[in-house]
Amino acid sequence: MGISCIYKYNPSFGESNTNRKIKSEEMNEEKEKRSLNFIESKIEEDIKNNKNNGEVYTRFPPEPNGYLHIGHAKSICLNFGLAEKYNGKCNLRFDDTNPEKEEEEYVKSITKDIKWLGFKWEKEPKYASDYFDQLYEWAEMLIRKSKAYVDELSAEDIARQKGTPTQAGENSPFRNRPVEENLKLFREMKEGKYQEGEMILRAKIDMASPNMHMRDPIMYRILNRPHHRTADKWHIYPMYDFTHGQSDYLEGITHSLCTLEFEVHRPLYDWFLDQITDTEYRPVQTEFARLNMSYTVMSKRKLLELVEKKMVSGWDDPRMPTISGLRRRGYTPESIRNFSDRIGVAKRDNVIDVALLEHSLREDLNKKAARVMAVLNPLKITISNYPEGKTEDIETINNPEDENMGTRTMPFSRELYIEQDDFMEDPPKKFFRLAPGREVRLKSAYIIKCEKVIKNKNGEAIELICSYDPDTKSGSGDMRKVKGTLHWVSAAHALDAEVRLYDRLFIHEDPAGQKDHDFKEFLNPDSLKILNKAKLEPSMKDVKAFDNLQFQRLGYFCVDPDTTEEKAVFNRTVPLRDTWGKKKN
Ligand code: ATP
Ligand code: MG
């Protein structure tokens, strides 16, 4: 694939630069919003000319052989989004021309994911298999017009006779079989009289066409297998190329959008429609570049391999680029839709930096996620001058970005937990957190000073004895300032939790594109780290699966559906800042 440009989101040189970059990007986006993309321009032109009575009818046609991924999300946002924008309609059509056994699971997950993204399809979902009878009639019609024939060549012979892009193919010896014989054989194929591979139905077009897809393409093949919707009615199944254009036609689709690789199929779709109808109406196909994203793989076959080899916990593993994985990771539908708008549609293949997806997510969660305190790797501190047995309610705001989210109280007491990383016994100068003899503020509470370090046999700090300054309570007017502010939880009140720290699944930007290497060689060995001793502030006792929260100073986290009454499980969605951009620089 000729990848033309890499969309780099964030060559970050530090926070302020990053923010500047985002601002100018947003300004550009505002400009882009005012100009139309090439598909919208085409649609507006069609509406202006009252083509199809000014109607816009699109469709999203997934094959139910896997879970949807972020690339599909782009196509969904495009097709459903255009229908919304132009007051049109959009169908969900399952392209189920391949009989496969486990399709029901995929149909379910696909409908769930599209609904979750917030889109509605027109009426009931459609299935290509709904059109099998009609397609069969059209196939017989083509045979009668001498535009299709039953070929008994082996697959190898057919491949051999196909020629090359620069060399014409050869006609099959069966190409001029009489119509009646073709009809008889085709009907027998349908009845199940023959074995798979014994014969196929081919369109009779042009074995010398410069477009390989026009060299007598296959229309039907024998598959003596039941289908998830038509059971054992059929022994022959139409090829995608003999199904897709006609399905669009039957549904009255006006704008048939697909990815670039189908551009070369377009003349074939048009040819089939020219044979079967003389109406003026045609679904018009427009191609756009598929979404490729850095640090992941997007082929369903590769994703299935990761699932089957148990390299991830399932299609919805939070590291997967699937919509169900992103949901479990803590992505919101809005963040995915905003991302999709932001990347727009292109006519040439490109690679989008996954950091742009993460940026859209942070932007959305920054507005929505309540701030809470959670300590991932707890270090106990005892405040020696704080009365034993006393508990104080500390008031703190839920989201500085949104006053309407209000405030809550947190218990403060003599024994607390802070983060192990927030203490160093022998810190460098620029370490503004806790160290022997140094002071920090505990967020929304008091300034404390580390008086003494208690260590275990290995010399590791296991507890800090601190003092607090009772005159420094947050919000109590003029206060002295200290450089560092730490998050904390009260030991006696804290809830236990398991926290799963997820990182990118691959360490390589383009894991599937490395010559002589299997994509699995680039799996990130540190893509999941499980912490079992995390402590949460007690306000989190009623969280529900998929709730999004910001753990202060740490990142955005989301409640995993593995959560039980006994134990909360959290997934790290993203850290507060992009650390990969920094690592690379
Ligand atoms: P397969 O490799 O199995 O054919 P596919 O990714 O093409 O997989 P489909 O289920 O056929 O999967 O895709 C449904 C729709 O989503 C198609 O219209 C396809 O063009 C679109 N689509 C798939 N992948 C992407 C992508 N990465 N970017 C944009 N659109 C995509
Ligand atoms: Mg496909």
Side-chain angles (χ1 to χ4, degrees), residues 236-255:
I236 52 172
Y237 291 93
M239 300 298 290
Y240 181 79
D241 278 350
F242 187 65
T243 310
H244 193 69
Q246 290 102 304
S247 302
D248 282 344
Y249 175 80
L250 287 167
E251 292 175 11
I253 301 304
T254 56
H255 297 84

Side-chain angles (χ1 to χ4, degrees), residues 39 82 214 315 317 339 363 401 490 520 585:
I39 297 179
L82 288 169
M214 301 297 275
W315 284 97
D317 185 298
F339 166 75
E363 187 183 55
E401 302 289 320
S490 165
K520 298 190 292 306
N585 282 292

Side-chain angles (χ1 to χ4, degrees), residues 96-228:
D96 59 352
T97 47
N98 264 323
E100 267 172 39
K101 43 185 184 323
E102 64 285 1
E103 281 172 343
E104 264 327 307
E105 178 196 350
Y106 298 131
V107 166
K108 264 201 201 139
S109 73
I110 290 170
T111 50
K112 178 175 171 182
D113 289 347
I114 300 173
K115 279 191 200 155
W116 179 76
L117 282 173
F119 293 111
K120 277 204 192 85
W121 49 85
E122 183 66 12
K123 299 198 176 116
E124 293 303 305
K126 314 271 188 291
Y127 293 83
S129 56
D130 293 341
Y131 313 131
F132 281 175
D133 286 311
Q134 175 66 73
L135 290 167
Y136 178 83
E137 267 176 46
W138 279 333
E140 283 210 353
M141 178 173 153
L142 257 68
I143 294 174
R144 279 193 297 272
K145 284 182 161 184
S146 218
K147 299 279 187 180
Y149 62 97
V150 172
D151 198 341
E152 288 171 68
L153 285 183
S154 67
E156 298 74 49
D157 284 337
I158 289 178
R160 200 169 315 121
Q161 294 200 337
K162 189 117 200 194
T164 67
T166 51
Q167 199 184 14
E170 283 167 53
N171 287 346
S172 161
F174 300 100
R175 199 171 197 260
N176 293 319
R177 214 196 269 280
V179 168
E180 281 315 311
E181 197 180 313
N182 278 319
L183 271 180
K184 176 172 165 286
L185 288 172
F186 187 50
R187 286 172 186 163
E188 288 172 352
M189 279 166 66
K190 173 179 171 242
E191 301 308 323
K193 267 190 112 170
Y194 302 105
Q195 298 300 307
E196 292 183 14
E198 231 178 301
M199 52 187 74
I200 52 169
L201 185 72
R202 294 178 80 173
K204 194 192 284 188
I205 307 180
D206 178 7
M207 287 305 290
S209 169
N211 182 339
M212 300 284 285
H213 295 280
M214 301 297 275
R215 295 187 186 174
D216 292 9
I218 302 174
M219 292 166 58
Y220 271 88
R221 76 274 202 221
I222 298 171
L223 290 172
N224 289 312
R225 291 173 228 181
H227 183 277
H228 77 131

Side-chain angles (χ1 to χ4, degrees), residues 61-63 65 72 95 240 259 261-262 290 300:
E63 185 176 348
N65 63 347
H72 294 114
D95 156 35
Y240 181 79
T259 40
E261 66 272 25
F262 291 102
R290 66 170 48 228
K300 281 189 264 186

Side-chain angles (χ1 to χ4, degrees), residues 379-380 423-426 435-436 450-465:
L379 174 62
K380 190 174 165 195
F423 170 77
M424 268 180 101
E425 197 169 7
D426 188 16
C450 176
E451 307 284 359
K452 190 175 156 201
V453 184
I454 299 175
K455 297 181 193 173
N456 64 12
K457 287 200 297 280
N458 306 326
E460 297 153 348
I462 51 166
E463 186 180 343
L464 307 177
I465 306 297

Side-chain angles (χ1 to χ4, degrees), residues 59-63 65 69 71-72 74-75 95 257-259 261-262 288-292 298 300:
R59 85 286 173 272
F60 173 66
E63 185 176 348
N65 63 347
H69 54 57
H72 294 114
K74 170 177 173 167
S75 176
D95 156 35
L257 310 177
C258 63
T259 40
E261 66 272 25
F262 291 102
F288 64 93
R290 66 170 48 228
L291 166 66
N292 300 298
M298 217 100 89
K300 281 189 264 186

Side-chain angles (χ1 to χ4, degrees), residues 255-271:
H255 297 84
S256 173
L257 310 177
C258 63
T259 40
L260 290 175
E261 66 272 25
F262 291 102
E263 189 172 359
V264 283
H265 297 242
R266 187 174 357 122
L268 178 58
Y269 299 161
D270 290 340
W271 187 88

